[in-house]
Every structure is written in structure tokens, then in C-alpha cells.
Amino acid sequence: MADSAETDWVSRFADEVISEAERRAPGKPIVCASGLSPSGPIHLGNLREVMTPHLVADEIRRRGLECVHLLSWDDYDRFRRVPAGVDASWAEHIGKPLTSVPAPPGSTHANWAEHFKAPMIAALKELGVDYRGISQTEQYTSGVYRERILLAVRERAAIDAVLSQYRSAQVEEYFPYRPYCDLCGRDLTTVTAYDDETTELAYTCECGFGETVRLAEHDRGKLVWKVDWPMRWAYEGVIFEPSGVDHHSPGSAWIAGRQIVGEVFGGEQPIGPMYAFVGITGMAKMSSSKGDVPTAADALQIMEAPVLRWLYARRKPSQSFKIAFDQEIQRLYDEWDALGRKVASGQAQPAEQAAYTRAVGTAAGPLPATPHPIPYRTLASVADITTGDADQTLRILRDVDGVTDLDETRPRLDRAQRWIDEHVPSDQRTRVRETPDQDLLDSLGRDERESLRLLADGLDDWSLDGLTTLVYGVPKLQAGLPADAKATPELKAAQRAFFALLYRLLVGRDTGPRLPTLLLAVGADRVRKLIGS
């Protein structure tokens, strides 16, 4: 197949994956993979683990080839710590598989793993991510990996030789499989003996229990991570799987796995870019272990799915980026809308066009979109000023852009409302004054009173464009300048002073939502009352 003419990173990886699949497994479905541990909130950094192979798999499907995206839920991993906010009694479950730990208090889910998987599953559905989910609990406990476990144990000396290249100290006797205790259910176990011929394995647990089992029949344990991962690469025939920066240090699972997958399991390491961290505006690098981190579900409360997809599609995996939960989200949406206009007019660059196309749909079809997309910052201002009152919102949006039904502006309107309600501090919310600030009005000089008179006289053009021209034009009129005069430092200073005066009279502080939107929300009669006209 000829290389794609696209210049974006997704197409380049798709070209490479298709070529590699033809070499490794001609005629078979191409396998891309991700892995997530539901040990806590699955944050927006983890989402990159899924979105990177999703975008590549989707591009391969767009080309008419069969491609499966496997998502392994590492729900057979051990419960490591009790996060903040959960009763300390959960410490008794440390060392158990995540699927054997009770869900957090108040949860309706069957266990800890299901509790944290559920919101991610819902978010991936909304994002249009097509994948085949695999529970590692089901894989291990059903015996699917039994032959590969036995192989790893037989080849434990070869595995130890690989891992010893990266150790600073030798271990007494390496064993790549850890049983979960049959009495307490935890992995606080030590293998004390193993017979290669009979596969009899003896272990003791810190709880005092011990037993001998036949590994050929034992399904309550798992391979250690640095062996488990390359085992799955070979078993699933993975061609493409990314990994985080933390997996690329010397001796890590990715580095050591490169040798283990071939020498022990007869497979090959996937093509896999190292992906950089994803941050949140105003926050440091995310970590699930700290508990309170934004998830994909949280992001989808304040932005539409295509916008969130776009953030991951437009940056190479090696580039870090931030997702805005603060005022920056308004600038982000401005950029998104501008890109949409460029695409519609045919002026977008190839990489921009490709990222936009990947954001708004998949090989299966387009994602839901807002029919009448009013600028996000306008919707946020309206939501702030009206506190969500539907009638007032419709009145303003009718004046702003001819909206006749609020459903035309959804889901974007709902996302902006949620952002205002949950992410704008109360001291930054807009509260329109009920009565005029008479003391401030009485203290105004002649020029300030004149500016308010000019504003009141111009309120007849009751549209967003008309009010925008008006508020920027009043200082021009006072300076004897034409309406289309270019901004000078002096004019900008006069405009800032005029805006600050209006904000103080309308909302009692020096700043607020964009003035044209604020004026529309307040209404002409009330504006005249508050500015003393």
C-alpha cells in the first residue's frame, strides 16, 4: 500500500503499522492495544494511552483495513493504597486484586475496579472510541494464560538474566509468578519451592497461611508486570501500543520487555511511541495515586467530545499539552471555532484539516455536534449572568444570533453552563446590581457623565454587533475620532477606563463578562437605570 499523503502524525504511524503488520501477520486483523489500571480515577493523562492507538486504529479502518483496538483493563493488579477520602478500614484489602476489593463507600458498583472503569467506559463511548475490552481478572482466572505462565516459569532463568542487566543488587531466587493467597486473598506471598516436572508450587503468606498447588491448574495469581506485559504482546499479536515516559527508564517493563518478548515468548515488541504527560491549566503533572484528578468524564462535562478529541489529535504523542478547566477554555474554543471556519473555507493546512477531521468523526461516522454553535465565551457569559434561567437565556441568544430554541445551542450551552457552575469561583461570578450606585454616579466628572449619555443614546441598536461598536465607539466620539479610527495607546487607555466605569456601575467591580454580552443580558431599560440615564 502506498504511503498516505497526509502530513499528520496519525497517518505516518498508520503507514508504519500497516507495513509492519504485513510483515508480521499478513492477512490477519491489525492489532493496536492500550492498557488501563482502574486503581483510582482514570485521568486525562491516562486517556492519552487510549486516544493514541484509537486514532491510529481509526485511520487504518478509514483505509478499509480490518483493525482491532484492544483495551486491557488491568483489574487483576493489586490494591496498593487507600486513597484520601476513603475509610482507613480499606487497608485490610491492600494486596488483593482490584476486582476483589469492595467499591468505595456509596458506590453502586460490584467492586473497586468496576467503580473506576464505569465513568471511563461512558466517556469512551461519548468520544466515539471503538475498542474491545479485556478484563485481566477474567483472563487470568479462566486459565487463558496458563500455558504462557508455565512457559515463563520454565524460562525464569532467562528472564532473570535479562532483568539482572538492570539491577544494582542480585536477588536470591527469581520467580516471575506471584500467587494470591487462598485464605486472605492478598499477594503477600513468597514462593518457597517449585517442581518443574510436576508444576507443584509451594508458597507461604504473611497472614500465616501456606499451601502447595499445581501451577498447571492454579488460576489465582499473575505474572509480575515486567513479564506480564511482553507475554500479552506475544499472545495478542500487538503491532502498535504506546507507553508513557515513565516506562522508558532503564530496566523498565518496556525496555526489558523488548528482550523478554522475543527470547521467552517468541514474539516482537510493538511499534510504540513514548507519549508525554498531559497537564491541566494551573496544575502539575497528574497522578491517580493522589486521588483528586480530572478525568475524561470531568472534561466532557465542560467541553464537547470533538474538542476533547482534537486536543489529543493535533499534538504528536511526544508533545505535552494542557487541558483547560479555567478561563483558558474560552480561548481554546475560540481557536476551535476559528479552525472550523478555516476548514469550511478550504484554507486549513493539511495537518490542521486532518486533526479536525479526526476530531469531528471516526471511520464509523460523525460525532454529535451543536447545530447552532454560539461562541463558548458568549454562552458562558450568558450562563453566568442569567444563572441558567432558560427564558432569559433564550431572550439574550435570540438577540445575539437569532436563536429560536435553546436545543439549537446544545450540547455546547450545557457544557458552558456546567463550567460556570463548577469551575468559576464564586467571587468571580457576575452579580448585576439591583439599584444604581448613587455615590459613584454623584462623584463622576463631566467627561464621564458625557460618556454615559452617549452610551444611553446608542442603545437603540440592540444587537451584539451594534453594542460592540457602541462600547468601543463612545471613547472615539469623545476624542473627536471617526468610528473606524485605528486604536492608539491613548484611545486604548480611554476605552479601558470607560469599560471599568461601566463594570463598576453594572456589577460592582472593575471587570466582568464581555460588555456587549453583559449589556444584552441586563436589558436596555435596566442599563439606563444603573448608569443614571
Side-chain angles (χ1 to χ4, degrees):
M1 175 176 294
D3 284 356
S4 165
E6 295 285 4
T7 60
D8 71 312
W9 66 266
V10 179
S11 293
R12 290 195 295 272
F13 272 121
D15 292 337
E16 189 177 347
V17 170
I18 291 169
S19 176
E20 190 67 12
E22 289 173 347
R23 181 184 70 80
R24 295 189 193 184
K28 293 183 178 180
I30 299 171
V31 179
C32 298
S34 304
L36 293 175
S37 176
S39 58
I42 300 174
H43 58 64
L44 288 160
N46 300 138
L47 181 60
R48 200 165 204 179
E49 168 78 22
V50 179
M51 289 304 299
T52 302
H54 160 68
L55 291 165
V56 173
D58 187 67
E59 170 61 22
I60 293 170
R61 294 186 193 117
R62 288 174 191 261
R63 301 185 191 184
L65 298 175
E66 188 176 357
C67 184
V68 60
H69 178 188
L70 301 180
L71 173 51
S72 281
W73 297 106
D74 292 323
D75 52 13
Y76 207 47
D77 286 0
R78 73 191 305 268
F79 181 56
R80 295 182 178 276
R81 63 181 66 83
V82 181
V86 175
D87 193 284
S89 64
W90 256 254
E92 69 180 270
H93 302 295
I94 290 175
K96 292 181 181 179
L98 295 170
T99 43
S100 296
V101 178
S107 173
T108 59
H109 295 285
N111 56 60
W112 190 272
E114 293 303 313
H115 174 80
F116 289 106
K117 282 165 63 175
M120 186 61 165
I121 288 171
L124 293 178
K125 181 178 180 180
E126 186 173 345
L127 286 165
V129 176
D130 180 16
Y131 66 92
R132 182 190 303 166
I134 298 174
S135 163
Q136 290 304 313
T137 295
E138 293 177 8
Q139 296 289 90
Y140 270 103
T141 59
S142 66
V144 167
Y145 296 145
R146 185 175 294 141
E147 291 304 317
R148 285 148 191 86
I149 292 170
L150 291 171
L151 172 60
V153 170
R154 286 197 303 272
E155 297 294 330
R156 58 190 180 276
I159 295 171
D160 187 38
V162 172
L163 297 179
S164 66
Q165 300 171 29
Y166 305 100
R167 293 194 198 110
S168 57
Q170 293 298 312
V171 296
E172 290 185 11
E173 188 170 355
Y174 176 77
F175 205 80
Y177 178 84
R178 175 166 288 185
Y180 281 111
C181 177
D182 197 52
L183 180 64
C184 73
R186 299 179 294 173
D187 70 346
L188 309 178
T189 57
T190 300
V191 174
T192 57
Y194 182 72
D195 187 309
D196 284 290
E197 290 190 16
T198 65
T199 75
E200 286 190 351
L201 179 151
Y203 73 85
T204 58
C205 180
E206 290 182 14
C207 73
F209 180 77
E211 65 173 341
T212 299
V213 299
R214 287 190 70 240
L215 187 56
E217 301 169 350
H218 188 253
D219 296 322
R220 277 199 55 78
K222 73 185 293 287
L223 292 171
V224 297
W225 171 236
K226 291 182 182 181
V227 182
D228 170 83
W229 200 11
M231 179 274 291
R232 285 192 260 157
W233 291 338
Y235 176 72
E236 295 164 348
V238 180
I239 305 294
F240 181 82
E241 181 172 6
S243 56
V245 173
D246 49 334
H247 285 305
H248 287 255
S249 58
S252 66
W254 179 265
I255 300 300
R258 181 184 302 146
Q259 292 176 256
I260 293 171
V261 67
E263 295 177 20
V264 176
F265 298 108
E268 294 185 64
Q269 188 178 48
I271 296 169
M274 177 179 70
Y275 58 83
F277 292 114
V278 176
I280 302 298
T281 300
M283 291 177 61
K285 187 187 79 174
M286 287 176 284
S287 170
S288 297
S289 63
K290 297 181 180 178
D292 187 19
V293 292
T295 65
D298 294 328
L300 289 169
Q301 294 290 322
I302 64 168
M303 67 180 70
E304 297 156 275
V307 178
L308 186 56
R309 286 177 62 91
W310 176 58
L311 293 176
Y312 290 84
R314 68 174 178 161
R315 294 282 184 259
K316 297 176 184 177
S318 59
Q319 294 176 309
S320 61
F321 65 90
K322 292 186 176 182
I323 297 177
F325 278 73
D326 61 3
Q327 299 286 342
E328 278 293 300
I329 193 172
Q330 299 182 83
R331 185 201 57 77
L332 170 70
Y333 254 94
D334 289 344
E335 191 178 349
W336 168 251
D337 288 343
L339 175 59
R341 291 189 294 271
K342 284 179 71 175
V343 169
S345 65
Q347 297 178 332
Q349 296 298 313
E352 293 177 318
Q353 173 73 60
Y356 184 83
T357 299
R358 301 188 198 291
V360 299
T362 69
L367 271 67
T370 297
H372 192 151
I374 305 290
Y376 190 96
R377 64 174 64 248
T378 300
L379 294 176
S381 295
V382 172
D384 181 22
I385 297 161
T386 65
T387 63
D389 182 275
D391 291 338
Q392 286 191 60
T393 300
L394 180 58
R395 174 183 64 80
I396 297 168
L397 294 182
R398 184 185 294 118
D399 290 340
V400 167
D401 207 5
V403 173
T404 58
D405 187 327
L406 289 183
D407 285 344
E408 299 171 25
T409 66
R410 292 189 168 104
R412 185 179 289 196
L413 172 62
D414 298 329
R415 302 299 186 268
Q417 181 72 60
R418 184 65 67 94
W419 177 70
I420 285 290
D421 290 344
E422 297 188 1
H423 296 282
V424 177
S426 58
D427 62 352
Q428 295 179 22
R429 294 292 301 272
T430 301
R431 299 287 180 265
V432 179
R433 292 183 59 88
E434 294 294 332
T435 59
D437 184 341
Q438 200 58 51
D439 289 342
L440 176 56
L441 288 170
D442 290 344
S443 70
L444 297 179
R446 184 182 66 182
D447 289 346
E448 291 168 316
R449 293 174 186 272
E450 174 66 10
S451 68
L452 296 179
R453 185 191 66 75
L454 290 171
L455 178 77
D457 289 346
L459 289 178
D460 292 337
D461 187 354
W462 198 247
S463 67
L464 191 62
D465 287 343
L467 291 173
T468 301
T469 300
L470 176 64
V471 296
Y472 281 92
V474 165
K476 294 180 182 180
L477 287 173
Q478 286 192 285
L481 298 171
D484 60 353
K486 296 263 173 121
T488 62
E490 294 77 16
L491 178 57
K492 288 181 178 179
Q495 288 172 331
R496 283 195 297 270
F498 178 55
F499 297 166
L501 172 61
L502 290 179
Y503 283 127
R504 290 199 299 273
L505 288 170
L506 297 175
V507 298
R509 58 175 207 258
D510 290 341
T511 61
R514 293 187 70 243
L515 270 172
T517 306
L518 178 61
L519 295 174
L520 276 173
V522 175
D525 291 343
R526 193 173 175 191
V527 168
R528 288 190 174 96
K529 173 185 174 184
L530 292 175
I531 65 174
S533 296

